[in-house]
Amino acid sequence: MYIYTESNAVRYTGRWEITEKNAITTAPGGMIELAFKGDYAVLFFDVSMNMNPVPHLWISVDNGAKIEVSVDRAIRIEAEGDKEHYVKIIYKSGVEIQHRWYHPLIGKINFIGAEADGEGTLPEDSRRIIEFIGDSITEGVLIDEFRKFNEFEQFNRPYQDDSTATYAYLTATALGMKPVIMGYGAVGVTKGGCGSVPKASVSYPYNFEGSEAKAQSSDIIVINHGANDRGASPDTYIAEYKNLLDVVRKKNPQSKIVVLSAFCIVYVDELKAMIEKYNKENNDSIYFVDSSGWIPLEPLHPLRDGHITVAKHLTEELKKIL
């Protein structure tokens, strides 16, 4: 039996464009869940536009260990027992500089369905949603910086990066919430970044060019931008950050919004003052969290232990807000 992308046996978390033919995301951390009947399933992906090195996935079956695999046209799963099974597929990592905003999309996951004996029933998931908006740190770049297999640095990224080891994913897990992650390398509030992704206020309303992103019904939204804005003046940074807040608030009128200062300690006082002013002028209650001193300034991209430390601090701060 062919299980189509819009089947009730398939569920998506993250920033996906979903049609009857396919489901596409360019944001690492996006997840597909599949319930099927039988002792096997074959996952199908359109990889016609992907270039080597292709994106990597985490796949787990029946809540077992995660296995890292490269995306391919067909990935076969052999399951224990002729019964219902449950599969998680997470976009782990990709090459930052591959086009992932303007068509033709290269740095993407394009899921086109699955084959199995039958459709299963997905487990209920009533977790609240926590959304993260950020840059390469939020994306999980260089978490395993030591994994170098290629002379061209960017070709190491699928092996070095891991969206599920980020402070964002770890914080969501600690809070028992479902993470929706929008992190793109080199993007800031003042500038676009890798893969031709526009600056944050321009890119946030979309999954990619021409694909409007649906509001996630997020209980809380955490914004962490600044590492890529150090070349801008404080006034420009603050003005562009305000523009981003306007865009995020308009799309999410009921969500709690948290502004997390950049871990590299850029324009912290100015950002805090802007939030206070913004709340007064807009009768809002956006929260400000100062991350200064949580982790060392170097490396700019935290390793796994750095993300664990950030997640511990952020989890405690968010518990005060939730």
Side-chain angles (χ1 to χ4, degrees):
M1 176 184 180
Y2 196 86
I3 302 174
Y4 291 89
T5 52
E6 293 187 318
S7 165
N8 290 331
V10 184
R11 182 165 59 209
Y12 305 90
T13 299
R15 297 169 66 86
W16 293 85
E17 179 182 75
I18 304 165
T19 71
E20 62 181 8
K21 295 181 179 180
N22 58 6
I24 299 174
T25 189
T26 65
M31 180 172 67
I32 305 167
E33 296 168 272
L34 168 69
F36 70 91
K37 294 178 180 178
D39 58 5
Y40 85 98
V42 181
L43 310 174
F44 296 111
F45 299 88
D46 181 348
V47 295
S48 57
M49 289 306 300
N50 289 120
M51 294 183 179
N52 285 322
V54 298
H56 284 196
L57 307 172
W58 282 121
I59 297 181
S60 63
V61 181
D62 295 334
N63 294 311
K66 295 187 300 183
I67 306 297
E68 182 176 356
V69 301
S70 299
V71 68
D72 207 341
R73 294 181 183 278
I75 299 174
R76 184 178 177 93
I77 293 169
E78 294 286 351
E80 290 289 333
D82 186 5
K83 57 183 181 180
E84 286 205 16
H85 297 282
Y86 170 65
V87 181
K88 286 183 182 179
I89 308 109
I90 301 174
Y91 182 5
K92 171 187 176 286
S93 52
V95 177
E96 281 182 280
I97 62 173
Q98 289 179 348
H99 270 278
R100 45 189 181 167
W101 199 261
Y102 299 106
H103 299 277
L105 297 172
I106 297 171
K108 69 178 184 299
I109 299 299
N110 187 354
F111 177 64
I112 57 176
E115 180 184 280
D117 285 345
E119 297 179 336
T121 301
L122 288 166
E124 182 180 353
D125 189 351
S126 58
R127 291 178 296 167
R128 294 180 294 172
I129 293 173
I130 182 169
E131 186 175 350
F132 293 87
I133 305 168
D135 50 33
S136 56
I137 298 174
T138 303
E139 181 180 0
V141 168
L142 294 175
I143 277 177
D144 291 322
E145 188 273 339
F146 63 94
R147 298 199 186 281
K148 298 180 180 180
F149 307 107
N150 298 280
E151 184 175 348
F152 181 48
E153 181 62 26
Q154 279 284 329
F155 282 4
N156 294 311
R157 288 292 190 266
Y159 307 93
Q160 295 173 316
D161 304 354
D162 186 352
S163 58
T164 69
T166 61
Y167 76 92
Y169 200 94
L170 296 175
T171 299
T173 301
L175 293 172
M177 301 181 76
K178 183 187 297 188
V180 170
I181 299 174
M182 181 189 184
Y184 290 109
V187 169
V189 294
T190 64
K191 63 184 287 292
C194 293
S196 299
V197 180
K199 64 183 180 181
S201 62
V202 175
S203 57
Y204 180 73
Y206 300 93
N207 298 311
F208 44 82
E209 182 193 28
S211 174
E212 185 174 353
K214 296 180 180 179
Q216 300 285 335
S217 299
S218 303
D219 190 77
I220 191 164
I221 299 172
V222 179
I223 306 174
N224 178 244
H225 270 298
N228 299 307
D229 299 298
R230 290 171 292 175
S233 69
D235 289 345
T236 300
Y237 174 67
I238 293 304
E240 290 292 351
Y241 215 120
K242 180 179 178 297
N243 288 339
L244 175 60
L245 290 179
D246 289 341
V247 170
V248 174
R249 174 53 80 205
K250 182 178 180 180
K251 202 170 188 69
N252 307 276
Q254 303 302 320
S255 302
K256 297 176 182 178
I257 297 177
V258 176
V259 170
L260 176 64
S261 72
F263 309 124
C264 60
I265 312 181
V266 59
Y267 304 142
V268 177
D269 293 337
E270 292 89 342
L271 186 57
K272 181 179 180 181
M274 184 274 283
I275 299 300
E276 293 175 352
K277 182 178 179 182
Y278 188 95
N279 285 337
K280 291 179 181 178
E281 292 178 348
N282 295 278
N283 192 29
D284 210 326
S285 56
I286 292 173
Y287 300 88
F288 175 76
V289 174
D290 185 354
S291 70
S292 299
W294 285 5
I295 54 175
L297 298 181
E298 296 293 337
L300 177 64
H301 296 94
L303 304 179
R304 286 180 180 266
D305 58 348
H307 279 275
I308 290 171
T309 298
V310 171
K312 288 180 178 178
H313 283 287
L314 183 56
T315 298
E316 291 307 310
E317 292 296 329
L318 295 184
K319 284 180 178 178
K320 303 173 186 176
I321 297 171
L322 290 168

